[in-house]
Amino acid sequence: MGQQQANVRVLSAEVTITTSFLDADPMGIIYHGNYFRYFEEARRVMMEKIHYSYLDMVESGYLWPIIDTRVRYIRSVLFNHNIRVTATLTEWENRIRVDYVIYDADSGERMTKAHTMQVAVRMEDKEMLLASPRVFLDKLEAFQYGTD
């Protein structure tokens, strides 16, 4: 089993963003609520790797609302600063957990750690599912085992 696990690809993505003045407070520090926009961009790129964009989710009949978040602000991010945001899928059987790290794009210093949790909700009856739908699991497994 250890050998089999070694061949499984981890679903992750990385984006580089230059922060804007629009996202900053009067002191030039990025407002804490705007970090979620950066997480969202990395998560969007990650999910597109398995061909499960937001439009694909709706087409498959599921919504994926965020039900929980946690952010640890380690170092302030300033406006006009280059940051690198990583998103990594760490749970997927019953819910989606995505872990994020924001790094200073130049120094590599870790600036923020976070995670979000999402659950599948069937669109037709708005029922929250206790397990991830097969359509998502099939796309993820195709990516993990290189059959996508």
Side-chain angles (χ1 to χ4, degrees):
M1 182 162 165
Q3 180 63 23
Q4 184 181 19
Q5 291 290 6
N7 295 328
V8 175
R9 293 187 340 192
V10 174
L11 181 58
S12 65
E14 178 178 298
V15 296
T16 301
I17 297 169
T18 301
T19 60
S20 71
F21 183 75
L22 171 70
D23 293 341
D25 65 17
M27 297 177 291
I29 297 171
I30 298 304
Y31 172 69
H32 70 277
N34 286 321
Y35 285 60
F36 288 94
R37 292 183 33 234
Y38 309 144
F39 303 150
E40 172 64 26
E41 179 61 11
R43 183 174 62 237
R44 180 191 66 77
V45 171
M46 181 188 74
M47 295 302 281
E48 286 181 353
K49 285 186 172 185
I50 63 168
H51 312 290
Y52 203 53
S53 69
Y54 290 114
L55 294 176
D56 295 323
M57 291 175 189
V58 169
E59 189 174 298
S60 73
Y62 298 97
L63 302 172
W64 290 85
I66 291 178
I67 60 165
D68 190 27
T69 64
R70 172 147 171 102
V71 181
R72 169 127 336 142
Y73 301 96
I74 300 166
R75 184 172 156 239
S76 296
V77 176
L78 305 177
F79 92 91
N80 200 35
H81 195 89
N82 293 322
I83 58 173
R84 186 169 44 90
V85 185
T86 63
T88 304
L89 184 69
T90 57
E91 292 180 29
W92 55 85
E93 289 90 3
N94 301 313
R95 61 188 179 191
I96 293 176
R97 176 182 164 136
V98 180
D99 290 348
Y100 308 92
V101 181
I102 296 178
Y103 297 96
D104 180 298
D106 298 322
S107 72
E109 179 182 3
R110 187 171 62 183
M111 303 178 85
T112 306
K113 288 175 43 170
H115 74 258
T116 57
M117 302 254 201
Q118 295 172 257
V119 294
V121 174
R122 194 171 32 240
M123 289 175 60
E124 68 181 87
D125 59 9
K126 306 294 188 247
E127 183 174 339
M128 183 171 64
L129 304 181
L130 300 177
S132 293
R134 190 78 248 162
V135 63
F136 167 71
L137 295 174
D138 287 347
K139 288 175 179 288
L140 178 60
E141 288 168 6
F143 174 84
Q144 288 175 319
Y145 297 101
T147 61
D148 61 332

